[in-house]
Amino acid sequence: MRKKVIAGNWKMNNDISQSINLVKGIKSILQSTKADVIVCPPYTSLSTVQQLVNGSFIKLGAQDVSVQNDGAYTGEISLSMLKAVGCEYVIVGHSERRQYHKETNELINTKAKKVLGGGLTPIICIGETLDEREKGITDQILTTQTKGVLAGLTSSEVEKSIVAYEPVWAIGTGKTATPQQADDAHKLIRKVISQLYSWATAEKVIIQYGGSVKPDNAKELLSQPNIDGALVGGACLKADSFAAIINAA
Ligand code: PEP
């Protein structure tokens, strides 16, 4: 049985003092959880948040990583830096990185390999745009993305990875995929993984849903058979709503 994994992507929100308040708020509401819980603050808050979550049920993740190891890459952050600050997870290929930084499946695949090579867990994001859904090519897009981002990974690497299905039209828009739409997409992604590897491998992969997950829709989404957790944006910025989503899992 797959464990539920709830991750909060803070994006470019929360300076150091706001980060302290948010983590303290989550910890004051929840003492322990059934689900695995991850917070992904901006780079500038990673060290502070690590000190607050160390030894607790909250694990630390980053929002991105460089494909380079070190050197003259202004503005980039390496995997070894993330590891040294205590990150266990790294989001790769978020749709905002695809949109604003032109990240491709190939680059995201390189990042996923880098993260796995360093012993951390990648949260690998895929998802169709509104235009693609309206054209009826969602399955085709998700198949291509799944194959692209997982290319060359071993079965044990895939089993350790988290895939986040995030329909782009549902991110930050207040529009949520229906539980059926989300579960259908997850089922397809799992089928593609089973064709690339095996059913045994596909059954082990955690597939999160992301896209306007809120306390009032979390329970229904998270009770779908193929939805193993949530990647949460807006609703993770308030301790009470993030805690309510974690409790729904
Ligand atoms: C996200 O950024 O991954 C996300 C799902 O955002 P939101 O929950 O705000 O839609």
Side-chain angles (χ1 to χ4, degrees):
M1 172 111 172
R2 294 180 297 271
K3 203 169 178 190
K4 297 272 193 266
V5 182
I6 308 296
N9 174 11
W10 296 8
K11 308 191 184 186
M12 198 170 70
N13 293 294
N14 294 331
D15 62 19
I16 291 178
S17 70
Q18 291 166 325
S19 299
I20 293 170
N21 287 339
L22 180 51
V23 175
K24 284 189 174 168
I26 299 166
K27 285 173 72 178
S28 74
I29 302 171
L30 301 170
Q31 278 72 51
S32 64
T33 61
K34 279 195 205 151
D36 285 350
V37 178
I38 306 159
V39 292
C40 303
Y43 293 135
T44 47
S45 291
L46 284 173
S47 176
T48 305
V49 171
Q50 194 279 333
Q51 287 165 40
L52 290 172
V53 302
N54 195 18
S56 80
F57 63 91
I58 304 173
K59 306 292 175 214
L60 191 64
Q63 297 175 20
D64 188 33
V65 66
S66 174
V67 292
Q68 307 296 340
N69 289 333
D70 52 47
Y73 300 100
T74 304
E76 296 279 281
I77 299 288
S78 73
L79 188 77
S80 60
M81 292 169 181
L82 297 180
K83 216 171 157 172
V85 80
C87 286
E88 295 177 59
Y89 298 83
V90 184
I91 299 171
V92 295
H94 190 278
S95 68
E96 287 150 15
R97 301 288 315 172
R98 290 177 186 259
Q99 186 182 352
Y100 303 129
H101 301 271
K102 306 289 169 250
E103 294 201 3
T104 59
N105 290 329
E106 195 181 7
L107 179 75
I108 295 157
N109 174 246
T110 306
K111 290 187 175 186
K113 284 178 178 155
K114 182 126 225 141
V115 173
L116 286 159
L120 278 66
T121 299
I123 300 176
I124 310 170
C125 303
I126 59 173
E128 81 286 359
T129 62
L130 183 59
D131 186 46
E132 290 161 344
R133 179 159 282 267
E134 285 176 350
K135 280 187 182 142
I137 56 170
T138 298
D139 287 8
Q140 191 183 319
I141 296 294
L142 294 180
T143 301
T144 303
Q145 289 183 340
T146 303
K147 288 182 177 168
V149 297
L150 300 182
L153 265 59
T154 64
S155 54
S156 67
E157 286 176 328
V158 174
E159 286 167 17
K160 204 188 162 226
S161 301
I162 295 174
V163 174
Y165 166 61
E166 298 208 299
V168 180
W169 49 271
I171 297 179
T173 58
K175 286 186 202 157
T176 317
T178 64
Q180 192 59 56
Q181 280 174 323
D183 197 62
D184 286 349
H186 286 223
K187 217 184 290 171
L188 173 85
I189 295 161
R190 210 177 291 290
K191 189 171 141 207
V192 175
I193 297 173
S194 79
Q195 288 162 347
L196 293 171
Y197 298 90
S198 66
W199 263 115
T201 290
E203 286 290 343
K204 288 185 187 143
V205 180
I206 302 282
I207 307 180
Q208 293 177 318
Y209 169 77
S212 299
V213 177
K214 307 268 183 268
D216 61 1
N217 61 23
K219 204 169 185 76
E220 209 186 344
L221 284 162
L222 291 165
S223 60
Q224 301 305 308
N226 284 287
I227 300 185
D228 309 317
L231 180 53
V232 186
C236 78
L237 297 175
K238 293 230 162 17
D240 54 355
S241 56
F242 191 50
I245 293 168
I246 294 165
N247 276 335

